[in-house]
Amino acid sequence: YTHESKLSPGVLREAASKTVLLIAPFAPHLAEELWHELGNDDFLLRAAWPKADPDLARDDQVEIIVQVNGKLRGHIEVAADASRELIEATARDNENVLRFTEGLTIRKVIVVPGKLVNIVAN
C-alpha cells in the first residue's frame, strides 16, 4: 500500500511522535514500542511532553449575529481581529439588515466585538 501525502516526511514523523507521546499515559507499553519504531533510541519516558501552541487554536474568522431592534436579522463573518468600525460597516451592509432598516433612521449601533451587533432604528 502506498500513500502519497502533501506533507513532508519530517512533518508526518513529528505528528506521529506527538501522538505517541500523548497515548503514553494510558498505553505505555504500546507507546514505547511505537516510539522505537519511529527511530528513537532513547526511552519515551525521557521525552518532553508536547507544548501547546495557543496561536494554532485561534480562529481567523468569527461569525457575529446582527440584530435590528433586538431581533435576530442576520449573521456576518469577519476577521477575528476586525475593528468595531469594520464590524459595524459589514453589519449595516448585510442585505437582511438593509431590508429591516429601509425607511428607518438608525439611532444607535451597539457593537460587541466577536459576539453581536445591535442596530436600533425607528
Side-chain angles (χ1 to χ4, degrees):
Y1 175 79
T2 59
H3 175 70
E4 285 191 34
S5 175
K6 294 180 182 176
L7 299 175
S8 71
V11 171
L12 290 173
R13 186 178 185 288
E14 182 181 350
S17 294
K18 300 278 187 202
T19 303
V20 169
L21 282 167
L22 294 173
I23 67 169
F26 59 88
H29 300 285
L30 174 64
E32 191 69 44
E33 289 293 323
L34 292 171
W35 187 250
H36 289 288
E37 285 292 322
L38 287 170
N40 297 295
D41 294 329
D42 201 9
F43 290 109
L44 176 64
L45 179 62
R46 296 176 199 229
W49 190 255
K51 300 245 187 272
D53 185 355
D55 290 336
L56 294 175
R58 226 173 261 145
D59 288 330
D60 294 336
Q61 298 279 328
V62 291
E63 186 176 340
I64 297 176
I65 62 169
V66 182
Q67 299 174 333
V68 176
N69 294 327
K71 294 183 180 166
L72 178 64
R73 299 300 184 201
H75 299 271
I76 58 172
E77 194 164 304
V78 295
D81 59 352
S83 68
R84 291 173 100 79
E85 293 79 21
L86 178 64
I87 295 170
E88 180 180 335
T90 306
R92 284 176 177 247
D93 290 341
N94 180 283
E95 71 178 59
N96 209 29
V97 170
L98 290 171
R99 214 165 44 103
F100 283 96
T101 58
E102 187 177 340
L104 301 177
T105 302
I106 295 176
R107 302 285 180 200
K108 187 175 185 180
V109 179
I110 301 164
V111 177
V112 180
K115 300 280 184 208
L116 70 91
V117 176
N118 188 17
I119 299 172
V120 180
N122 60 10

